[in-house]
Short mmCIF file of all heavy atoms in Angstrom, two decimals:
data_model
loop_
_atom_site.label_atom_id
_atom_site.label_comp_id
_atom_site.label_asym_id
_atom_site.label_seq_id
_atom_site.Cartn_x
_atom_site.Cartn_y
_atom_site.Cartn_z
N LEU A 264 -6.68 4.99 -4.41
CA LEU A 264 -5.94 4.31 -3.32
C LEU A 264 -5.64 5.34 -2.16
O LEU A 264 -5.34 6.43 -2.40
CB LEU A 264 -4.63 3.74 -3.85
CG LEU A 264 -4.76 2.51 -4.74
CD1 LEU A 264 -3.47 2.22 -5.48
CD2 LEU A 264 -5.21 1.28 -3.97
N THR A 265 -5.74 4.80 -0.96
CA THR A 265 -5.48 5.65 0.22
C THR A 265 -4.29 5.13 0.95
O THR A 265 -3.67 4.10 0.63
CB THR A 265 -6.68 5.58 1.16
OG1 THR A 265 -6.79 4.25 1.67
CG2 THR A 265 -7.97 5.98 0.47
N ALA A 266 -3.86 5.93 2.00
CA ALA A 266 -2.73 5.47 2.80
C ALA A 266 -2.97 4.14 3.45
O ALA A 266 -2.09 3.31 3.60
CB ALA A 266 -2.47 6.55 3.87
N THR A 267 -4.20 3.89 3.83
CA THR A 267 -4.58 2.60 4.44
C THR A 267 -4.36 1.46 3.44
O THR A 267 -3.86 0.37 3.81
CB THR A 267 -6.04 2.61 4.91
OG1 THR A 267 -6.25 3.64 5.86
CG2 THR A 267 -6.42 1.29 5.51
N ASP A 268 -4.72 1.71 2.22
CA ASP A 268 -4.55 0.64 1.17
C ASP A 268 -3.04 0.34 0.95
O ASP A 268 -2.70 -0.82 0.84
CB ASP A 268 -5.18 1.07 -0.19
CG ASP A 268 -6.67 1.35 -0.02
OD1 ASP A 268 -7.34 0.57 0.69
OD2 ASP A 268 -7.17 2.36 -0.66
N ILE A 269 -2.25 1.38 0.92
CA ILE A 269 -0.83 1.16 0.71
C ILE A 269 -0.24 0.41 1.90
O ILE A 269 0.60 -0.49 1.72
CB ILE A 269 -0.08 2.50 0.51
CG1 ILE A 269 -0.61 3.25 -0.73
CG2 ILE A 269 1.42 2.28 0.37
CD1 ILE A 269 -0.49 2.50 -2.03
N GLN A 270 -0.65 0.75 3.10
CA GLN A 270 -0.17 0.08 4.28
C GLN A 270 -0.61 -1.40 4.29
O GLN A 270 0.20 -2.28 4.71
CB GLN A 270 -0.69 0.78 5.56
CG GLN A 270 -0.02 0.32 6.83
CD GLN A 270 1.47 0.60 6.90
OE1 GLN A 270 1.87 1.75 6.76
NE2 GLN A 270 2.27 -0.44 7.05
N ARG A 271 -1.77 -1.68 3.79
CA ARG A 271 -2.25 -3.08 3.68
C ARG A 271 -1.35 -3.90 2.82
O ARG A 271 -1.11 -5.08 3.07
CB ARG A 271 -3.66 -3.07 3.14
CG ARG A 271 -4.77 -2.74 4.18
CD ARG A 271 -6.08 -2.68 3.47
NE ARG A 271 -6.45 -3.87 2.81
CZ ARG A 271 -7.38 -4.00 1.83
NH1 ARG A 271 -8.02 -2.89 1.42
NH2 ARG A 271 -7.66 -5.15 1.30
N LEU A 272 -0.83 -3.35 1.73
CA LEU A 272 0.06 -4.07 0.84
C LEU A 272 1.27 -4.56 1.59
O LEU A 272 1.73 -5.71 1.41
CB LEU A 272 0.50 -3.12 -0.35
CG LEU A 272 -0.56 -2.78 -1.32
CD1 LEU A 272 -0.01 -1.75 -2.31
CD2 LEU A 272 -1.10 -3.92 -2.10
N VAL A 273 1.81 -3.72 2.46
CA VAL A 273 3.01 -4.10 3.22
C VAL A 273 2.70 -5.03 4.36
O VAL A 273 3.33 -6.09 4.55
CB VAL A 273 3.71 -2.79 3.75
CG1 VAL A 273 4.92 -3.16 4.63
CG2 VAL A 273 4.15 -1.90 2.61
N ASP A 274 1.63 -4.69 5.11
CA ASP A 274 1.24 -5.50 6.26
C ASP A 274 0.88 -6.95 5.86
O ASP A 274 1.15 -7.89 6.55
CB ASP A 274 0.08 -4.90 6.99
CG ASP A 274 0.44 -3.54 7.65
OD1 ASP A 274 1.64 -3.27 7.76
OD2 ASP A 274 -0.44 -2.76 7.99
N ASN A 275 0.25 -7.10 4.71
CA ASN A 275 -0.23 -8.41 4.25
C ASN A 275 0.80 -9.06 3.32
O ASN A 275 0.54 -10.17 2.80
CB ASN A 275 -1.56 -8.30 3.54
CG ASN A 275 -2.65 -7.86 4.46
OD1 ASN A 275 -2.61 -8.11 5.66
ND2 ASN A 275 -3.62 -7.13 3.92
N GLY A 276 1.92 -8.43 3.10
CA GLY A 276 2.98 -9.01 2.23
C GLY A 276 2.50 -9.32 0.84
O GLY A 276 2.86 -10.36 0.28
N ILE A 277 1.74 -8.43 0.21
CA ILE A 277 1.26 -8.65 -1.12
C ILE A 277 2.42 -8.55 -2.10
O ILE A 277 3.01 -7.50 -2.29
CB ILE A 277 0.15 -7.58 -1.50
CG1 ILE A 277 -0.95 -7.60 -0.48
CG2 ILE A 277 -0.35 -7.88 -2.88
CD1 ILE A 277 -1.69 -8.95 -0.38
N LYS A 278 2.71 -9.67 -2.72
CA LYS A 278 3.86 -9.71 -3.62
C LYS A 278 3.60 -9.11 -4.98
O LYS A 278 2.45 -8.98 -5.40
CB LYS A 278 4.34 -11.17 -3.81
CG LYS A 278 4.79 -11.83 -2.49
CD LYS A 278 5.47 -13.18 -2.77
CE LYS A 278 6.84 -12.97 -3.42
NZ LYS A 278 7.62 -14.24 -3.50
N GLU A 279 4.66 -8.78 -5.70
CA GLU A 279 4.57 -8.26 -7.02
C GLU A 279 3.90 -9.32 -7.93
O GLU A 279 4.07 -10.54 -7.78
CB GLU A 279 5.89 -7.92 -7.59
CG GLU A 279 6.56 -6.72 -6.90
CD GLU A 279 7.91 -6.42 -7.51
OE1 GLU A 279 8.55 -7.36 -8.03
OE2 GLU A 279 8.41 -5.26 -7.36
N THR A 280 3.13 -8.83 -8.90
CA THR A 280 2.48 -9.68 -9.86
C THR A 280 2.70 -9.11 -11.26
O THR A 280 3.46 -8.12 -11.43
CB THR A 280 0.95 -9.78 -9.61
OG1 THR A 280 0.35 -8.52 -9.81
CG2 THR A 280 0.71 -10.24 -8.20
N LYS A 281 2.04 -9.66 -12.23
CA LYS A 281 2.10 -9.19 -13.57
C LYS A 281 1.52 -7.75 -13.69
O LYS A 281 1.91 -6.98 -14.58
CB LYS A 281 1.32 -10.11 -14.53
CG LYS A 281 1.52 -9.88 -15.98
CD LYS A 281 1.03 -11.03 -16.84
CE LYS A 281 -0.37 -11.39 -16.56
NZ LYS A 281 -0.89 -12.46 -17.50
N SER A 282 0.68 -7.38 -12.78
CA SER A 282 0.03 -6.09 -12.80
C SER A 282 0.46 -5.16 -11.61
O SER A 282 -0.20 -4.15 -11.39
CB SER A 282 -1.49 -6.24 -12.86
OG SER A 282 -1.93 -6.93 -11.67
N LEU A 283 1.48 -5.56 -10.87
CA LEU A 283 1.90 -4.75 -9.74
C LEU A 283 3.42 -4.84 -9.56
O LEU A 283 4.03 -5.94 -9.60
CB LEU A 283 1.23 -5.26 -8.46
CG LEU A 283 1.65 -4.62 -7.10
CD1 LEU A 283 1.29 -3.13 -7.14
CD2 LEU A 283 1.02 -5.31 -5.94
N ASP A 284 4.06 -3.67 -9.41
CA ASP A 284 5.52 -3.64 -9.28
C ASP A 284 5.88 -2.56 -8.26
O ASP A 284 5.38 -1.44 -8.29
CB ASP A 284 6.17 -3.33 -10.62
CG ASP A 284 7.65 -3.63 -10.66
OD1 ASP A 284 8.15 -4.11 -9.62
OD2 ASP A 284 8.31 -3.37 -11.69
N TYR A 285 6.79 -2.92 -7.35
CA TYR A 285 7.25 -1.97 -6.32
C TYR A 285 8.63 -1.37 -6.72
O TYR A 285 9.47 -2.09 -7.23
CB TYR A 285 7.41 -2.66 -4.96
CG TYR A 285 6.12 -3.26 -4.41
CD1 TYR A 285 6.04 -4.64 -4.21
CD2 TYR A 285 5.02 -2.49 -4.09
CE1 TYR A 285 4.87 -5.21 -3.73
CE2 TYR A 285 3.86 -3.03 -3.59
CZ TYR A 285 3.80 -4.41 -3.39
OH TYR A 285 2.66 -4.97 -2.91
N LYS A 286 8.78 -0.14 -6.47
CA LYS A 286 10.07 0.55 -6.65
C LYS A 286 10.41 1.36 -5.42
O LYS A 286 9.51 2.08 -4.93
CB LYS A 286 10.02 1.47 -7.90
CG LYS A 286 9.61 0.79 -9.18
CD LYS A 286 10.70 -0.12 -9.71
CE LYS A 286 10.35 -0.67 -11.06
NZ LYS A 286 11.36 -1.62 -11.58
N MET A 287 11.62 1.25 -4.94
CA MET A 287 12.00 2.01 -3.75
C MET A 287 12.23 3.49 -4.14
O MET A 287 11.91 4.38 -3.35
CB MET A 287 13.26 1.45 -3.12
CG MET A 287 13.62 2.14 -1.76
SD MET A 287 14.88 1.22 -0.84
CE MET A 287 16.37 1.45 -1.87
N ASN A 288 12.83 3.75 -5.30
CA ASN A 288 13.18 5.07 -5.72
C ASN A 288 12.61 5.43 -7.06
O ASN A 288 12.23 4.53 -7.85
CB ASN A 288 14.68 5.23 -5.78
CG ASN A 288 15.39 4.96 -4.48
OD1 ASN A 288 15.00 5.53 -3.43
ND2 ASN A 288 16.36 4.04 -4.49
N LEU A 289 12.50 6.70 -7.34
CA LEU A 289 12.16 7.18 -8.69
C LEU A 289 13.26 8.14 -9.13
O LEU A 289 13.34 9.27 -8.64
CB LEU A 289 10.79 7.90 -8.71
CG LEU A 289 10.39 8.56 -10.00
CD1 LEU A 289 10.28 7.53 -11.13
CD2 LEU A 289 9.09 9.36 -9.85
N ASN A 290 14.06 7.71 -10.04
CA ASN A 290 15.16 8.52 -10.56
C ASN A 290 14.99 8.71 -12.09
O ASN A 290 14.96 7.68 -12.82
CB ASN A 290 16.51 7.92 -10.29
CG ASN A 290 16.76 7.79 -8.76
OD1 ASN A 290 16.58 8.76 -8.06
ND2 ASN A 290 17.13 6.60 -8.32
N LEU A 291 14.93 9.93 -12.58
CA LEU A 291 14.75 10.19 -14.00
C LEU A 291 15.74 11.20 -14.54
O LEU A 291 15.47 11.90 -15.51
CB LEU A 291 13.28 10.70 -14.22
CG LEU A 291 12.19 9.75 -13.89
CD1 LEU A 291 10.82 10.41 -14.04
CD2 LEU A 291 12.22 8.49 -14.76
N SER A 292 16.87 11.33 -13.87
CA SER A 292 17.85 12.33 -14.28
C SER A 292 18.76 11.82 -15.40
O SER A 292 19.20 12.60 -16.24
CB SER A 292 18.66 12.80 -13.11
OG SER A 292 19.31 11.70 -12.49
N LYS A 293 19.08 10.54 -15.40
CA LYS A 293 19.99 9.96 -16.36
C LYS A 293 19.26 9.19 -17.48
O LYS A 293 18.18 8.71 -17.23
CB LYS A 293 21.01 9.01 -15.68
CG LYS A 293 21.89 9.68 -14.59
CD LYS A 293 22.76 8.66 -13.92
CE LYS A 293 23.58 9.34 -12.83
NZ LYS A 293 24.48 8.31 -12.12
N ASP A 294 19.87 9.14 -18.66
CA ASP A 294 19.28 8.47 -19.75
C ASP A 294 18.96 7.02 -19.45
O ASP A 294 17.87 6.48 -19.83
CB ASP A 294 20.16 8.52 -20.99
CG ASP A 294 20.10 9.90 -21.68
OD1 ASP A 294 19.33 10.73 -21.18
OD2 ASP A 294 20.83 10.09 -22.65
N ALA A 295 19.89 6.29 -18.74
CA ALA A 295 19.63 4.92 -18.42
C ALA A 295 18.46 4.73 -17.51
O ALA A 295 17.68 3.77 -17.67
CB ALA A 295 20.91 4.34 -17.76
N GLU A 296 18.26 5.70 -16.60
CA GLU A 296 17.13 5.65 -15.67
C GLU A 296 15.80 5.88 -16.45
O GLU A 296 14.80 5.21 -16.18
CB GLU A 296 17.32 6.65 -14.56
CG GLU A 296 18.46 6.34 -13.69
CD GLU A 296 18.88 7.50 -12.76
OE1 GLU A 296 18.51 8.65 -13.06
OE2 GLU A 296 19.61 7.29 -11.78
N LYS A 297 15.83 6.82 -17.37
CA LYS A 297 14.68 7.10 -18.17
C LYS A 297 14.26 5.92 -19.02
O LYS A 297 13.09 5.54 -19.12
CB LYS A 297 14.91 8.33 -19.09
CG LYS A 297 15.07 9.64 -18.28
CD LYS A 297 15.40 10.79 -19.24
CE LYS A 297 15.56 12.08 -18.48
NZ LYS A 297 15.96 13.18 -19.42
N LYS A 298 15.26 5.29 -19.61
CA LYS A 298 14.99 4.14 -20.45
C LYS A 298 14.40 2.97 -19.65
O LYS A 298 13.44 2.33 -20.09
CB LYS A 298 16.26 3.67 -21.16
CG LYS A 298 16.06 2.52 -22.10
CD LYS A 298 17.40 2.00 -22.77
CE LYS A 298 17.96 3.12 -23.62
NZ LYS A 298 19.17 2.61 -24.36
N GLU A 299 14.91 2.74 -18.45
CA GLU A 299 14.42 1.65 -17.63
C GLU A 299 13.00 1.96 -17.21
O GLU A 299 12.11 1.06 -17.17
CB GLU A 299 15.31 1.53 -16.37
CG GLU A 299 14.95 0.37 -15.47
CD GLU A 299 15.25 -0.98 -16.09
OE1 GLU A 299 15.96 -1.04 -17.13
OE2 GLU A 299 14.82 -2.02 -15.53
N PHE A 300 12.69 3.18 -16.86
CA PHE A 300 11.40 3.63 -16.49
C PHE A 300 10.41 3.38 -17.64
O PHE A 300 9.27 2.86 -17.46
CB PHE A 300 11.37 5.10 -16.12
CG PHE A 300 10.04 5.72 -15.87
CD1 PHE A 300 9.39 5.49 -14.62
CD2 PHE A 300 9.42 6.49 -16.81
CE1 PHE A 300 8.14 6.04 -14.41
CE2 PHE A 300 8.19 7.03 -16.55
CZ PHE A 300 7.55 6.83 -15.34
N LEU A 301 10.75 3.81 -18.84
CA LEU A 301 9.90 3.61 -20.02
C LEU A 301 9.69 2.17 -20.37
O LEU A 301 8.59 1.75 -20.75
CB LEU A 301 10.53 4.35 -21.24
CG LEU A 301 10.52 5.88 -21.14
CD1 LEU A 301 11.45 6.48 -22.18
CD2 LEU A 301 9.12 6.42 -21.34
N ASN A 302 10.72 1.34 -20.15
CA ASN A 302 10.61 -0.10 -20.37
C ASN A 302 9.52 -0.66 -19.42
O ASN A 302 8.70 -1.53 -19.81
CB ASN A 302 11.92 -0.80 -20.18
CG ASN A 302 12.93 -0.43 -21.27
OD1 ASN A 302 12.62 0.18 -22.27
ND2 ASN A 302 14.16 -0.76 -20.98
N ASP A 303 9.55 -0.24 -18.20
CA ASP A 303 8.54 -0.72 -17.23
C ASP A 303 7.15 -0.31 -17.62
O ASP A 303 6.23 -1.15 -17.61
CB ASP A 303 8.89 -0.15 -15.81
CG ASP A 303 10.05 -0.81 -15.14
OD1 ASP A 303 10.21 -2.05 -15.33
OD2 ASP A 303 10.80 -0.15 -14.41
N VAL A 304 6.98 0.96 -17.99
CA VAL A 304 5.68 1.47 -18.35
C VAL A 304 5.12 0.72 -19.54
O VAL A 304 3.95 0.26 -19.58
CB VAL A 304 5.73 3.00 -18.61
CG1 VAL A 304 4.39 3.50 -19.18
CG2 VAL A 304 6.04 3.77 -17.29
N SER A 305 5.90 0.61 -20.57
CA SER A 305 5.42 -0.06 -21.80
C SER A 305 5.14 -1.52 -21.57
O SER A 305 4.20 -2.09 -22.20
CB SER A 305 6.45 0.09 -22.94
OG SER A 305 7.64 -0.65 -22.67
N SER A 306 5.86 -2.17 -20.68
CA SER A 306 5.62 -3.62 -20.43
C SER A 306 4.25 -3.77 -19.77
O SER A 306 3.56 -4.76 -20.07
CB SER A 306 6.70 -4.16 -19.47
OG SER A 306 6.58 -3.64 -18.15
N PHE A 307 3.79 -2.84 -18.94
CA PHE A 307 2.46 -2.96 -18.35
C PHE A 307 1.43 -2.73 -19.47
O PHE A 307 0.46 -3.47 -19.56
CB PHE A 307 2.27 -1.88 -17.27
CG PHE A 307 2.77 -2.30 -15.93
CD1 PHE A 307 4.04 -1.84 -15.48
CD2 PHE A 307 2.00 -3.09 -15.08
CE1 PHE A 307 4.49 -2.23 -14.23
CE2 PHE A 307 2.49 -3.45 -13.82
CZ PHE A 307 3.75 -3.01 -13.40
N TYR A 308 1.62 -1.70 -20.28
CA TYR A 308 0.72 -1.35 -21.32
C TYR A 308 0.52 -2.49 -22.31
O TYR A 308 -0.59 -2.75 -22.77
CB TYR A 308 1.22 -0.11 -22.03
CG TYR A 308 0.31 0.45 -23.15
CD1 TYR A 308 -0.76 1.29 -22.80
CD2 TYR A 308 0.53 0.10 -24.47
CE1 TYR A 308 -1.57 1.77 -23.83
CE2 TYR A 308 -0.30 0.60 -25.43
CZ TYR A 308 -1.33 1.43 -25.13
OH TYR A 308 -2.20 1.94 -26.13
N ASN A 309 1.61 -3.17 -22.61
CA ASN A 309 1.56 -4.26 -23.62
C ASN A 309 1.07 -5.59 -23.06
O ASN A 309 0.94 -6.60 -23.77
CB ASN A 309 2.91 -4.46 -24.24
CG ASN A 309 3.32 -3.29 -25.15
OD1 ASN A 309 2.48 -2.61 -25.69
ND2 ASN A 309 4.62 -3.06 -25.29
#
């Protein structure tokens, strides 16, 4: 993926799907944040 591809997602209003999820921030300092991150990753994998 390139910068142009990422910009296309926004310009075309491509919504989240079963295989795509947007996050504004990435925080992994607290246990609750790590758990939420892992839940997201495993949900895609499964």
Side-chain angles (χ1 to χ4, degrees):
L264 289 167
T265 66
T267 301
D268 299 321
I269 300 300
Q270 191 64 56
R271 282 174 58 198
L272 293 173
V273 177
D274 293 343
N275 296 329
I277 305 299
K278 298 191 69 172
E279 292 179 337
T280 66
K281 190 164 58 174
S282 59
L283 175 64
D284 196 1
Y285 301 117
K286 302 289 184 182
M287 186 168 69
N288 302 306
L289 174 61
N290 298 310
L291 297 174
S292 57
K293 300 178 181 178
D294 283 357
E296 295 167 343
K297 293 177 181 178
K298 184 182 294 186
E299 185 70 11
F300 173 79
L301 291 164
N302 293 346
D303 284 326
V304 171
S305 68
S306 71
F307 277 98
Y308 183 84
N309 290 333

